[in-house]
């Protein structure tokens, strides 16, 4: 009669470790992060980057980077329960490692990106509260190293996120003043909201996000926003506001402007569509964003051996950016060939500026395709190509030739011109290829990755890569050396998540 209970007891003793493991709490402390480091010998006099920036695909255009994300469970809940829980999070990141970049590993190049407390099951079910820095990310566009779905990266305050079965909602309020002007702080009240809904779970989801910042007018605060009357954009662009003031008022010994206090409203809005698990398409992230940038309060102008403060809110409060970005992850041949395909288009316009060429009035477009072929589980071949066009809407902004500085204004030399070259368009093509060692297996996203790559660029602009060539408006500071439209680098680099 005792045989069955004894056998049952033995079975239960055998299962107890599995039951305990299923209900085991995680470690109170956790760490995760990301790193990339590289060396890129550059025999063209460049700084080790194939082109100027991420528009041509981030690969070979980025700098070293590392981040460490730390988590401490201040209050742990029993797994599967509705008990109150709380976590403390922090992140340290930077862009420098010894011998890999100009910073040479100095800690000056690192910062504490965020610190916040996150807690759940307080007051409302399924609501997670966050107090501190409020950065909230949706899916990134990795091929461009862009985060168009990120909200509140500049804000400290309080947020609440409700997680439903098929949707999530976020509401937040805080202050962005220290991010916008760390040394000249003034309060910028910030509010944000987002909503994401999974229409067909695992196949289709959509969302919207918005953030608004308001800086009130504060008369008497030197860090607040003011406007200097009778200031035109050309004098502001040339940094000659003070000079023109004294020329118009020859008997005046001091700058006595009639300052007008200003308030400001800035905002960003984002629309998101994610879809995938459709044949070879694993997933695609598409974003449409629109932003009105916050105005600049002032700048310093030196005249008569003295630094003068010039308030320029009225010259910087009408700057807008609209962007469309997409990244698709495709398994062309399962376990053999995968692809990332990115598209980016952007339109920037400044209603205050209709005379000066610059990045505040331009149209950009780019597409990048990366293919990764798996020779074995751990040895892969990578090929990537990109084409991009950047067009200035306010005249010539790019120098196509070594002597373009002499023809910057309608074919005439003008050291004080508001154009910077002989073309309003820059066309860039890049090609990258090489071997990738992925210890963790077959995936275009597998990390860590050890890469040996060769990169080639052809640009319509002369010397279109990071360098020390002279590029001022002074007609006597011309580019030195032969004309350069081609650029190549060899890269040995490592990248990983942990």
């Amino acid at each position: 009669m005792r045989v069955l209970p004894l056998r049952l007891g033995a079975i239960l003793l055998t299962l107890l470790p599995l039951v305990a493991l299923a209900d085991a709490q995680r470690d109170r402390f956790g760490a995760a992060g990301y790193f990339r480091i590289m060396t890129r010998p550059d025999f063209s006099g460049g700084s080790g980057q194939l082109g100027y920036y991420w528009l041509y695909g981030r690969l070979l255009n980025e700098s070293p980077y590392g981040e460490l994300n730390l988590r401490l469970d201040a209050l742990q809940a029993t797994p599967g329960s509705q008990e109150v829980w709380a976590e403390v999070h922090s992140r340290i990141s930077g862009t420098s490692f010894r011998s890999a970049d100009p910073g040479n590993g100095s800690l000056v190049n690192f910062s504490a990106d965020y610190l916040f407390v996150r807690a759940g099951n307080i007051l409302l079910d399924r609501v997670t509260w966050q107090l501190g820095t409020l950065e909230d990310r949706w899916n990134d566009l990795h091929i461009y190293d862009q985060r168009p779905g990120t909200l509140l990266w500049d804000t400290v305050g309080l947020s609440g996120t409700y997680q439903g079965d098929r949707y999530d909602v976020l509401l937040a309020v805080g202050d962005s003043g220290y991010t916008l002007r760390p040394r000249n702080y003034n309060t910028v009240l910030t509010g944000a909201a987002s909503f994401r809904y999974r229409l067909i779970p695992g196949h289709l989801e959509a969302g919207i996000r918005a953030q608004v910042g308001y800086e009130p007018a504060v008369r008497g605060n030197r860090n607040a926003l003011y406007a200097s009357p009778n200031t035109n954009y050309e004098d502001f662009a040339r940094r000659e506001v003070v000079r023109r003031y004294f020329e118009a008022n020859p008997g005046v010994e001091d700058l006595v402007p009639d300052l007008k206090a200003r308030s400001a409203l800035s905002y960003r809005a984002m629309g998101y569509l994610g879809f995938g698990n459709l044949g070879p398409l694993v997933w695609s992230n598409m974003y449409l964003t629109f932003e009105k940038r916050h105005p600049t309060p002032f700048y310093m102008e030196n005249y008569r051996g003295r630094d003068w403060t010039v308030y320029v809110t009225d010259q910087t409060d009408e700057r807008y950016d609209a962007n469309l970005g997409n990244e698709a992850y495709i398994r062309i041949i399962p376990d053999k060939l995968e692809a990332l395909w990115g598209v980016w288009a952007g339109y920037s316009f400044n209603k205050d500026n209709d005379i000066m060429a610059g990045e505040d009035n331009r149209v950009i477009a780019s597409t990048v395709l990366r293919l990764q072929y798996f020779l074995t589980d751990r040895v892969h071949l990578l090929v990537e190509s990109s084409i991009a066009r950047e067009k200035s809407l306010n005249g010539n902004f790019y120098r196509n030739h070594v002597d373009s500085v002499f023809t910057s204004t309608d074919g005439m030399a003008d050291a004080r011109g508001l154009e910077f070259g002989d073309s309003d368009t820059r066309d860039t093509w890049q090609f990258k290829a090489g071997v990738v060692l992925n210890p963790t297996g077959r995936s275009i996203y597998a990390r860590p990755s050890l890469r040996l790559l060769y990169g080639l660029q052809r640009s319509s602009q002369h010397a279109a890569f990071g360098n020390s060539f002279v590029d001022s408006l002074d007609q006597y500071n011309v580019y030195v050396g032969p004309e350069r439209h081609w650029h190549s680098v060899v890269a040995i680099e490592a990248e990983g998540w942990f």
Side-chain angles (χ1 to χ4, degrees):
M1 296 295 294
R2 295 182 180 179
V3 174
L4 183 59
L6 286 174
R7 287 179 177 174
L8 181 60
I11 293 172
L12 290 175
L13 287 173
T14 303
L15 293 177
L16 274 176
L18 298 179
V19 175
L21 181 62
D23 292 334
Q25 292 179 327
R26 65 182 183 183
D27 292 338
R28 290 191 63 211
F29 177 80
Y34 169 83
F35 70 89
R36 63 175 180 249
I37 187 170
M38 68 287 291
T39 179
R40 299 184 187 132
D42 194 328
F43 299 103
S44 299
S47 58
Q49 292 182 201
L50 186 58
Y52 275 128
Y53 66 123
W54 57 265
L55 186 65
Y56 323 122
R58 77 167 185 85
L59 201 60
L60 300 189
N61 296 306
E62 79 277 48
S63 61
Y65 177 78
E67 69 176 50
L68 178 63
N69 300 276
L70 305 174
R71 186 209 80 244
L72 175 66
D73 288 348
L75 180 62
Q76 290 184 315
T78 302
S81 74
Q82 296 299 313
E83 297 173 355
V84 175
W85 58 268
E87 306 167 347
V88 181
H89 290 255
S90 184
R91 182 176 73 195
I92 300 170
S93 72
T95 59
S96 180
F97 299 99
R98 192 177 69 180
S99 303
D101 58 87
N104 212 29
S106 171
L107 294 181
V108 172
N109 300 284
F110 285 78
S111 63
D113 286 338
Y114 58 60
L115 175 65
F116 60 82
V117 175
R118 183 180 286 162
N121 298 325
I122 301 176
L123 299 178
L124 298 172
D125 292 338
R126 293 192 171 190
V127 173
T128 298
W129 302 97
Q130 184 167 319
L131 179 62
T133 53
L134 298 182
E135 177 179 318
D136 188 82
R137 291 184 181 179
W138 282 357
N139 299 335
D140 300 345
L141 303 186
H142 299 279
I143 203 163
Y144 287 112
D145 203 16
Q146 292 298 292
R147 300 174 177 85
T150 298
L151 205 64
L152 297 163
W153 63 270
D154 52 3
T155 307
V156 61
L158 175 67
S159 71
T161 302
Y162 177 84
Q163 293 282 352
D165 292 333
R166 297 182 65 172
Y167 66 92
D168 55 76
V169 180
L170 177 146
L171 296 174
V173 63
D175 180 9
S176 302
Y178 274 113
T179 299
L180 292 170
R181 298 201 297 275
R183 298 185 182 277
N184 304 106
Y185 168 79
N186 193 38
T187 298
V188 179
L189 298 172
T190 304
S194 76
F195 175 78
R196 178 168 51 184
Y197 189 79
R198 288 167 283 281
L199 290 86
I200 306 175
H203 292 277
L204 179 63
E205 61 185 32
I208 55 174
R209 322 197 84 180
Q211 178 176 329
V212 177
Y214 174 71
E215 183 173 359
V218 184
R219 181 70 184 180
N221 179 1
R222 66 181 181 180
N223 293 331
L225 297 174
Y226 297 94
S228 300
N230 304 316
T231 299
N232 63 61
Y233 198 89
E234 181 174 352
D235 291 342
F236 159 68
R238 296 184 187 279
R239 297 300 193 258
E240 295 178 351
V241 172
V242 176
R243 175 187 295 273
R244 298 303 174 219
Y245 176 84
F246 283 114
E247 289 177 354
N249 301 274
V252 176
E253 295 295 327
D254 206 351
L255 182 64
V256 189
D258 180 20
L259 296 179
K260 305 294 184 183
R262 292 284 192 263
S263 61
L265 185 71
S266 57
Y267 54 82
R268 60 177 68 105
M270 313 159 192
Y272 162 72
L273 183 65
F275 52 95
N277 293 315
L278 303 169
L281 178 63
V282 180
W283 196 255
S284 182
N285 294 307
M286 179 181 293
Y287 291 97
L288 178 64
T289 68
F290 186 80
E291 178 177 4
K292 180 184 181 184
R293 287 188 274 167
H294 209 73
T296 300
F298 59 82
Y299 74 93
M300 304 304 294
E301 185 176 313
N302 188 276
Y303 183 68
R304 293 179 178 174
R306 175 180 168 183
D307 288 332
W308 306 83
T309 301
V310 181
Y311 291 91
V312 292
T313 299
D314 284 0
Q315 283 72 46
T316 60
D317 63 348
E318 294 288 342
R319 300 174 297 173
Y320 300 87
D321 294 287
N323 293 288
L324 172 67
N326 183 75
E327 179 180 274
Y329 174 30
I330 306 168
R331 287 198 182 101
I332 300 174
I333 304 175
D335 294 327
K336 273 297 182 182
L337 180 63
E338 295 184 350
L340 285 180
W341 178 34
V343 176
W344 188 276
Y347 173 43
S348 300
F349 60 100
N350 183 350
K351 291 184 177 181
D352 291 317
N353 173 21
D354 59 2
I355 61 172
M356 181 179 179
E359 294 184 351
D360 57 342
N361 284 286
R362 68 170 184 172
V363 175
I364 60 175
S366 162
T367 185
V368 184
L369 177 64
R370 180 186 302 175
L371 300 173
Q372 197 154 319
Y373 182 80
F374 311 129
L375 291 173
T376 69
D377 284 346
R378 295 173 175 80
V379 180
H380 308 165
L381 296 179
L382 182 150
V383 176
E384 179 177 298
S385 186
S386 68
I387 55 173
R389 167 164 286 193
E390 302 156 80
K391 183 175 178 61
S392 168
L393 301 178
N394 267 358
N396 296 335
F397 189 56
Y398 308 105
R399 297 179 174 177
N400 286 352
H401 305 288
V402 71
D403 61 349
S404 292
V405 70
F406 287 110
T407 58
S408 59
T409 303
D410 296 328
M412 297 184 299
D414 181 3
R416 299 184 68 253
L418 294 174
E419 295 181 313
F420 292 84
D422 58 352
S423 177
D424 62 359
T425 302
R426 177 166 64 197
D427 292 318
T428 304
W429 168 79
Q430 286 192 351
F431 174 80
K432 306 133 188 178
V435 178
V436 181
L437 304 181
N438 275 27
T440 56
R442 300 174 185 242
S443 173
I444 203 168
Y445 284 120
R447 300 294 185 272
S449 289
L450 308 176
R451 307 188 189 107
L452 174 60
L453 300 175
Y454 171 77
L456 180 66
Q457 173 180 277
R458 172 64 169 84
S459 178
S460 61
Q461 178 179 325
H462 163 63
F465 49 91
N467 56 67
S468 59
F469 298 109
V470 175
D471 60 2
S472 78
L473 284 177
D474 188 338
Q475 61 178 313
Y476 298 106
N477 287 337
V478 297
Y479 289 99
V480 178
E483 197 160 298
R484 294 177 171 90
H485 292 279
W486 292 90
H487 185 225
S488 63
V489 296
V490 176
I492 304 172
E493 53 189 48
E495 179 184 33
W497 297 308
F498 59 89

